[in-house]
Each structure stands twice: as structure tokens, then as C-alpha cells.
Amino acid sequence: MNTTDRDENAPLDLRPLPGSERPSAPGLLAAEAVPGGTPVEVTVVLRRRAELDVAALAQPLSAAELAAQHGATQADVELVVSTLTGLGLQVRSVHADSRRVRVGGTAQRLSQVFGTSLRAARSSGAAEAAHRHRTGGLSVPAALDGVVVAVLGLDDRPQARSLARTVAPRAVSASYTPPELGTVYRFPVGTDGTGQTVAIVELGGGYDQTDLDTYFAGLSITGPQVTAVGVDGATNVPGGDPSGADGEVLLDVEVVGALAPGAALLVYFAPNTDAGFLDAVSEAAHANPAPVAISISWGQSEDAWTAQARNALDAAMADACALGVTVTVAAGDDGSTDRATDARSHVDFPAASPHALACGGTRLDADPRTGAVRSETVWDEGAGKGATGGGVSDAFALPTWQQRIGVPAAAAVRASPGSGRGVPDVAAVADPATGYQVRVDGKDLVIGGTSAVAPLWAALLARLAQATGRTFGLIQPVLYGTVGPGEVAPGFRDVTVGNNGAYAAGPGWDACTGLG
């Protein structure tokens, strides 16, 4: 037996990793041991050198300031690298600014180092798929206890679902091009996003440039520069299925591109895993130049995430806000239950993060020529048919900027009594029956869902940034201001009719359409 064999078979001194506990995948169909020699890569997340309170920042930080004040310390990076390489793992990349170390190894060795066992499984949770599977908690080598705060990607089950919705053509009562919605929602005239960059996160699917060229030409628009960025091995791969992930990708790109055609669009393609999601958001947030906004139209009920993954992604969005980047996130398309089966209210994550501008959905009847709104109500097609997400987080506390608006109590018993973060913050049309005219895989379609609202708001931010010469980061304190319960925030049209199940719209902020 050689030295390597002795080292790999020696017992390791491990410590539990808080927040890593994972239940069995919903709809688990089959599972068997992953062959020990299977190559696996994971993302290891390190602690901050100091906590970050974005709401307390007087102005955005530079990338250098964020790294120096809130990134990983060099000592922690060196400790993680030396410890893991000493245990036979390979370091693929290090990003101290975003506190991430990408690590590879065999399934057997990674299981030993992080105290788990991996099984090859099929399940029918967010989407039926083959994936690696684990249950229970993880551990880390004793030397890294408290230094490593998350280990993501060992279990690579699909983490999120697209929040785009389609309906049969006969069910469409009205539809709008994005420029028409720019008129309805009074986007600043004389702007097109020139000089700005918008990042879009995608966890599947792809786009074909021919579709984009045809779509923008049909709108008499010179389309934006669109660049695909691969993350963790994922690439722009159109699947040829308009009702699948391609619909999400083209919806996002076409909405941003038609409303902010002067902006540059970076589309980050990542695997649909907790590690892929985190890595895509982190890469977008720390890009140079930084985008004005990151648009995210994927999510999952906040209790379907491990605490370590939820906290790591929230921290990545906090980084974005600190750098002056606003993260616009779809609030969900399944009403107040968010597709959970326990008959309780749930909010979608990452929309539930206090560092996300959570985007809810409405049903819109407007004159596309003049922009006059005849009616705008909460999007709710009934149980199981689609409705805006919204409610109160059980995972995130009530932010300071929501303390005056009357967010109701959280459904779950919280460690500290009181309410949680209210979702959404803002809204726009999402009902596919009054949806967005787009082109996907050679077909002209009408698509809705809160998936469309996140890129719409990202495009608005690009145009506002062009008009004002500044970015916005955590924009919620400005939007909420000193508004109290039942009061309408300046610049918003209040939506007061409708419900999403457990919550009803009313004057002022509500858990259906936010501020309006």
C-alpha cells in the first residue's frame, strides 16, 4: 500500500457544517451508489473577513474596497487550499473577492472529505432528472471549521424551476410587445440603455441569434449586443422546445433587448444546481465592468433550499448590491403556496432575499398605442393555473426599509418573534393571457409569468441609469422611502384588486404586487 492509499483510507477529523442538512429529493425514483472514481466538482464558500450591511452603505463600494473589507482573507484562502490539496483534492479556481474555491476530485474522496455518501438517483422534483443525491448534513476537515460556510454541488439535483408561463393561443385576450409596455409603464423617454450592461442568469436552454435578429427586426429595432457566458461547464445550447427552458431564455433576452436595445447583454448559462446558481450570480456580480442589473427568472420555494445554499446566494446578491448592481428576481408563478403541498404559505427564493428586488405579477388591460391603463389587477388564474408569488419569508427577517408598511406576521414560528421579509417589492404584467409577444425557436408566442417582470425591471434600471448617470444597487430603501401602511409610494400605480391565495391586494404595499 503506498502513501496515497494510506492517507485516503485514514480516518479524517471532521466537524459538522451548519446548515448543510438536506432531505431526500422529492419524488425520488431510484438511487444507487455513485462509482467511487467518478469525477466531481464542488464550490466551497468561505467566510467573510467582516460582515456586510448593504443598507448602511452611503454609496457603492469599488470591487477593490469590497474585496478588502468583505472578501475572504488571504490566510483563509491559503488554509482552504492547502488543507484540501493535502487531502488529495484538486483546486480548479480561486476567487477570493467572492469567497469561492472550486474544487475537484473523485466521488469517493470528496465524500470522505465532506462526510457524506453520494448516490446516483432519478427524481421528479423541480424537474425529473438524473442527478447525484445525498441526505443529511455535511462535515468539513477540523482545520476548516468556521472558515468554510458552504459546500455546494455534491448533490446536483435540479435546484430551481423557470418561472415563465404559456397558455393556449385561444386563452390570450391581449398581448403586448416590450416597447408597448415601455409606453404603458412610462419608461424614461429618450433613453435606450446605452452605456449600460445587463446580466441575465439562465439555468438551462439557450438562444439562437437568428431568432433574436428576426424578433428585433420585426420591432424595427437594432438589437443589443448579446454575449453568452458559460459557467461551471454550461453553455448556450438551445433545446428546440419553445415551452421548455428556451422559452425562458428568449423571453428574458428579448424583453431586456427590446426595452434597452442600447445596452450590452451578458447571458450567464450555469447548471441548474445550487452550486451553478451561486457561481453564475457571483460571476455576474463581480464582472468588470459591473452590470447595472442582474435579472433572475428562476427560483424555488425557500424551504426547498439548504440553509447553507440560501445564505451563500443571499451573500452573493449582497455583494452585487454593494457594488451598485440591482438584482431583479421573479417572485414566483404559483400563488401563495409556491407549489408546496403542505397547505401553508411559502415564498420563492431567491426573490425572498432582502438583497433582491422581488418582482410580482399583474393582469393588464391597456391601450398599447397610448399606454392608457384601463385596469390592472393581481394575476391569479386559480389554483394550479398560475398566480403571482408573494407572502412573508420564514428564512429572512423584516428589512429596515419594510418596517413601516405593515408586512403581516410570518407563517412559521421564528427564532425572533415578528414578521419576515415581505415579497414582492414591485410588479408588472405577468398573466400570460395578457402577456408578452416573443419569438422562441422559430415560433412567435405569447409568454407570461413573473419571469417576464424581472427582465422588464432590469431594462428599466438600465434606462434610469443612462438618464441619471448612476447605478442603484439596493434600490428598495429609495422605493419604499417613508411610506406607511395603506400609502402609495411616489411613482407607483397601486394595484388594489385581486389575491394570490392567502393574500389579498389592497391600498399600499401588499403581498401580491408589492408597492404596485
Side-chain angles (χ1 to χ4, degrees), residues 200-205 229-236 267-273 275-281 298:
I200 301 172
V201 171
E202 302 293 357
L203 303 179
V229 181
V231 177
D232 294 350
T235 58
N236 172 27
V267 187
Y268 289 82
F269 289 96
N272 187 3
T273 66
F277 210 152
L278 170 68
D279 289 338
V281 173
W298 298 73

Side-chain angles (χ1 to χ4, degrees), residues 386-420:
T388 182
V392 182
S393 173
D394 292 329
F396 296 97
L398 185 71
T400 55
W401 33 268
Q402 281 192 326
Q403 290 181 355
R404 293 172 50 89
I405 59 169
V407 176
V413 177
R414 297 178 54 83
S416 55
S419 187

Side-chain angles (χ1 to χ4, degrees), residues 15-437:
R15 299 289 185 273
L17 178 60
S20 62
E21 295 76 15
R22 188 150 210 181
S24 181
L28 188 65
L29 303 174
E32 59 184 24
V34 173
T38 303
V40 174
E41 290 192 359
V42 300
T43 297
V44 177
V45 185
L46 283 58
R47 65 186 174 186
R48 292 190 187 278
R49 64 176 68 214
E51 289 304 309
L52 173 62
D53 181 359
V54 178
L57 295 177
Q59 59 186 17
L61 300 176
S62 69
E65 289 171 333
L66 179 65
Q69 298 172 28
H70 305 286
T73 66
Q74 187 60 32
D76 279 355
V77 171
E78 291 175 355
L79 178 62
V80 168
V81 169
S82 63
T83 300
L84 296 182
T85 55
L87 292 171
L89 303 182
Q90 298 84 47
V91 172
R92 308 296 192 203
S93 63
V94 175
H95 198 292
D97 294 6
S98 61
R99 308 170 310 285
R100 292 176 298 132
V101 177
R102 188 76 174 164
V103 177
T106 65
Q108 179 181 5
R109 192 56 179 161
L110 282 163
S111 296
Q112 292 168 338
V113 170
F114 296 115
T116 190
S117 61
L118 298 178
R119 303 187 70 79
R122 290 195 65 84
S123 64
S124 56
E128 184 170 338
H131 57 87
R132 291 189 304 274
H133 184 265
R134 71 170 180 87
T135 58
L138 298 175
S139 298
V140 296
L144 305 183
D145 187 20
V147 176
V148 169
V149 297
V151 177
L152 307 178
L154 286 165
D155 183 318
D156 63 352
R157 71 184 71 173
Q159 182 59 62
R161 55 180 177 257
S162 160
L163 300 176
R165 286 266 179 166
T166 59
V167 295
R170 63 180 180 276
V172 176
S173 60
S175 62
Y176 308 91
T177 68
E180 289 170 345
L181 291 172
T183 299
V184 170
Y185 290 123
R186 300 181 183 178
F187 278 34
V189 296
T191 62
D192 64 358
T194 294
Q196 308 302 317
T197 299
V198 175
I200 301 172
V201 171
E202 302 293 357
L203 303 179
Y207 65 86
D208 189 301
Q209 188 63 43
T210 302
D211 272 338
L212 299 181
D213 293 341
T214 302
Y215 180 73
F216 293 126
L219 296 175
S220 299
I221 289 173
T222 299
Q225 175 187 338
V226 183
T227 303
V229 181
V231 177
D232 294 350
T235 58
N236 172 27
V237 182
D241 180 7
S243 63
D246 287 0
E248 180 62 72
V249 175
L250 270 298
L251 173 68
D252 295 342
V253 173
E254 289 170 358
V255 169
V256 177
L259 284 167
L265 275 58
L266 296 178
V267 187
Y268 289 82
F269 289 96
N272 187 3
T273 66
D274 53 10
F277 210 152
L278 170 68
D279 289 338
V281 173
S282 293
E283 292 293 324
H286 290 267
N288 184 20
V292 64
I294 300 173
S295 177
I296 300 174
S297 295
W298 298 73
Q300 177 70 286
S301 177
E302 66 178 2
D303 59 341
W305 297 70
T306 61
Q308 62 162 357
R310 197 169 53 226
N311 292 337
L313 188 52
D314 172 58
M317 291 188 288
D319 280 1
C321 291
L323 292 167
V325 182
T326 305
V327 187
T328 62
V329 184
D333 292 354
D334 296 284
S336 59
T337 65
D338 203 32
R339 210 182 292 187
T341 59
D342 61 1
R344 295 178 52 216
S345 296
H346 298 266
V347 291
D348 209 75
F349 181 82
S353 164
H355 301 107
L357 182 69
C359 300
T362 66
R363 178 182 178 89
L364 176 69
D365 180 10
D367 184 331
R369 183 180 58 84
T370 65
V373 175
R374 290 182 281 264
S375 70
E376 192 163 17
T377 58
V378 175
W379 170 40
D380 180 18
E381 295 298 302
K385 297 179 181 178
T388 182
V392 182
S393 173
D394 292 329
F396 296 97
L398 185 71
T400 55
W401 33 268
Q402 281 192 326
Q403 290 181 355
R404 293 172 50 89
I405 59 169
V407 176
V413 177
R414 297 178 54 83
S416 55
S419 187
R421 189 269 202 264
V423 177
D425 298 306
V426 296
V429 60
D431 188 339
T434 63
Y436 297 64
Q437 297 172 19

